[in-house]
Amino acid sequence: QGQLVESGGGSVQAGGSLRLSCVASGYTYCTYDWQWYRQAPGKEREFVSGVRKGSKGSSTSYADSVKGRFTISQGNAKNTVYLQMDSLKPEDTAMYYCNLYGIPCGEFFGSNSWGQGTQVTVSS
């Protein structure tokens, strides 16, 4: 059984930066579609950013609230994804989760997996 392990969370002051990482192990996929979500206390989990590698290159997407401040990237090994977070704001405080939609070789549909979450706290 595969697992996703996140790291890089922590506490910073407003304006600071953090880099989150998520590594997948135990999976044998041909396609790795990655996303980051976050959930603040008392709020629903929300999409932050996603990256997908296709035959013509990678495509990324961002929530409006993080555009221009966060950058998602996939490692050279497809089983790793990063989220560079700059100019952090107190409203970015949340538990951050990586999500992997993996598709096995020769298949059309895949499976969804979640990491355990890493806490990001931004103080004003």
Side-chain angles (χ1 to χ4, degrees), residues 21-114:
S21 301
C22 183
V23 180
S25 61
Y27 298 100
T28 53
Y29 296 137
C30 270
T31 300
Y32 289 73
D33 286 346
W34 288 100
Q35 295 185 331
W36 286 96
Y37 285 78
R38 67 185 181 187
Q39 187 167 19
K43 295 188 176 181
E44 293 186 353
R45 190 171 296 190
E46 64 176 2
F47 170 79
V48 175
S49 182
V51 61
R52 167 178 292 184
K53 276 191 175 180
S55 58
K56 298 182 179 180
S58 294
S59 62
T60 59
S61 57
Y62 297 93
D64 288 343
S65 59
V66 306
K67 277 182 182 176
R69 300 188 298 120
F70 290 11
T71 304
I72 191 170
S73 60
Q74 199 166 356
N76 290 333
K78 293 185 290 186
N79 67 329
T80 305
V81 67
Y82 305 98
L83 186 67
Q84 177 67 40
M85 305 186 296
D86 299 318
S87 303
L88 283 161
K89 304 176 181 180
E91 50 264 44
D92 294 318
T93 295
M95 184 73 79
Y96 283 71
Y97 299 89
C98 64
N99 172 270
L100 169 63
Y101 182 74
I103 306 175
C105 299
E107 300 290 334
F108 291 104
F109 301 103
S111 303
N112 232 7
S113 302
W114 290 90

